[in-house]
Amino acid sequence: MTREEEFTGLRPLLFAIAYRILGSVSEAEDAVQETWVRFQTSPTEPRSTKSYLSAVVTRIAIDVLRSARARRESYVGTWFPEPLVDDPYEDPERAAELADSVSMASLLLLERLSPLERAVFVLRDVFAFDFREVASAVGRSEDACRQLAVRARRHMAAGRPRFEADRREREELAGRFFDAIREGDIDGLQELLAADVQLVADSGGKAPQWGSGAFGGENVRRLLAAALPWLETVDITIEEHALNGQPGAIFRDRDGRVLNTWTLDIVDGRIQTIRTVLNPEKLAHVGPVADAWAVLQEATEARRRPR
């Protein structure tokens, strides 16, 4: 087997590791590409190509994360990970861990960890690498990695999100929610929302949004009620699609370009959190991106016209 063939077979795993460390599709893809460049030009013949490449992509991701954290601290408004449309890596034996680790809620918890804690947690707890491999990847002793793993687990356990256990029930409730939005059914929306539901948006200051968010069932209902007529005015379509392993949707303009994405956290049969990503820089990998400001202007002008 050639190096290119080995690398191609492991690319889904390498991307999955990098994305969970970085929370960015574009940065993860760049890390994977840099890993290939280093592998292609290295004279080393590793005993385990999987361990070797996983270590390389992890080190690259850690370096990128360290520089990215400063940028995220000055980010305008709420920061969310880039939405993941499809996770390319599959492992039936670890399907639950993989799905949980890629959710928006879990990725936001990972943001609280140091880069080393985050990398150790991803390699050990998500992908089940042994501590020898983890230590090699992050450049620390096995004992140090065990301590990093304990700290990371403690932080993750303290804020670990609860999701509806039955995937079919989650998808059915999400379908009812998006149907109610399409139909302008405010009462139908109300009964699907948890009392303490929150709707939070990430625009990065580069797309229009309704305030800084809404908190509580009545406030979220009012915000949605105000937004629905605008969506109808400019022929917005809602394409239901799992995002980050959770129920969600991609909102598109009349030409099919991406306006934003929504992901839903569902707990105890109700929608607990709605996260929407509007920052166009975080949507390019989903598809051609719409000019949200132009769409808003069109909607505003249309609603001013006499009827």
Side-chain angles (χ1 to χ4, degrees):
M1 184 180 295
T2 66
R3 284 198 169 192
E4 184 173 1
E5 289 170 335
E6 286 185 290
F7 182 84
T8 298
L10 289 167
R11 178 183 281 272
L13 171 63
L14 302 179
F15 173 86
I17 291 171
Y19 176 76
R20 285 163 175 80
I21 294 174
L22 293 167
S24 166
V25 172
S26 55
E27 290 175 347
E29 289 174 342
D30 288 346
V32 172
Q33 184 59 32
E34 176 63 22
T35 300
W36 163 242
V37 171
R38 295 188 187 185
F39 184 44
Q40 186 182 34
T41 57
S42 172
T44 301
E45 289 296 339
R47 285 184 294 178
S48 168
T49 303
K50 175 184 174 183
S51 296
Y52 174 81
L53 292 177
S54 298
V56 173
V57 81
T58 296
R59 292 178 198 138
I60 293 170
I62 289 172
D63 288 342
V64 173
L65 181 61
R66 284 173 172 153
S67 63
R69 289 171 80 91
R71 296 195 303 273
R72 292 175 189 178
E73 288 174 359
S74 60
Y75 191 81
V76 177
T78 301
W79 181 92
F80 288 154
E82 290 182 8
L84 183 66
V85 178
D86 294 298
D87 190 348
Y89 181 72
E90 296 181 358
D91 181 349
E93 294 184 0
R94 302 192 64 78
E97 292 92 338
L98 290 171
D100 177 67
S101 66
V102 83
S103 72
M104 283 277 186
S106 291
L107 289 172
L108 288 170
L109 278 178
L110 284 170
E111 282 291 306
R112 303 178 185 178
L113 307 182
S114 72
L116 281 178
E117 288 172 342
R118 185 165 181 164
V120 168
F121 182 85
V122 168
L123 291 176
R124 178 61 183 169
D125 285 53
V126 179
F127 294 100
F129 282 78
D130 63 41
F131 275 111
R132 179 183 58 80
E133 294 172 303
V134 174
S136 174
V138 302
R140 295 292 188 275
S141 69
E142 291 186 36
D143 285 343
C145 287
R146 287 189 172 89
Q147 293 174 9
L148 288 166
V150 168
R151 289 204 298 269
R153 289 173 193 142
R154 187 181 302 125
H155 285 300
M156 294 297 289
R160 186 174 296 279
R162 290 189 304 121
F163 297 126
E164 193 71 46
D166 191 297
R167 179 175 294 274
R168 182 176 297 179
E169 289 182 9
R170 282 186 296 166
E171 292 173 350
E172 188 273 336
L173 189 145
R176 289 167 54 199
F177 174 77
F178 289 118
D179 282 344
I181 289 180
R182 293 185 187 97
E183 297 163 7
D185 181 4
I186 304 303
D187 292 334
L189 286 172
Q190 181 71 48
E191 68 181 25
L192 301 175
L193 302 175
D196 57 348
V197 63
Q198 55 181 315
L199 188 158
V200 192
D202 170 355
S203 73
K206 298 176 181 179
Q209 68 181 68
W210 288 278
S212 58
F215 304 88
E218 182 58 25
N219 290 330
V220 171
R221 186 196 69 80
R222 288 176 180 171
L223 187 150
L224 292 174
L228 295 185
W230 294 76
L231 299 180
E232 184 178 355
T233 300
V234 288
D235 300 325
I236 302 301
T237 58
I238 302 172
E239 175 188 314
E240 292 180 49
H241 198 298
L243 298 166
N244 292 83
Q246 301 298 315
I250 302 168
F251 284 62
R252 300 182 184 273
D253 69 7
R254 63 166 58 92
D255 296 317
R257 294 171 299 193
V258 179
L259 274 169
N260 57 61
T261 62
W262 287 24
T263 55
L264 310 179
D265 289 353
I266 297 174
V267 179
D268 297 332
R270 291 289 186 273
I271 295 170
Q272 188 73 46
T273 308
I274 304 167
R275 295 185 180 89
T276 175
V277 176
L278 304 107
N279 186 340
E281 295 181 355
K282 294 186 175 184
L283 298 172
H285 64 284
V286 180
V289 180
D291 183 341
W293 292 107
V295 172
L296 177 61
Q297 182 178 356
E298 178 188 347
T300 302
E301 292 174 352
R303 289 180 60 78
R304 285 174 178 168
R305 298 188 194 108
R307 301 189 178 185

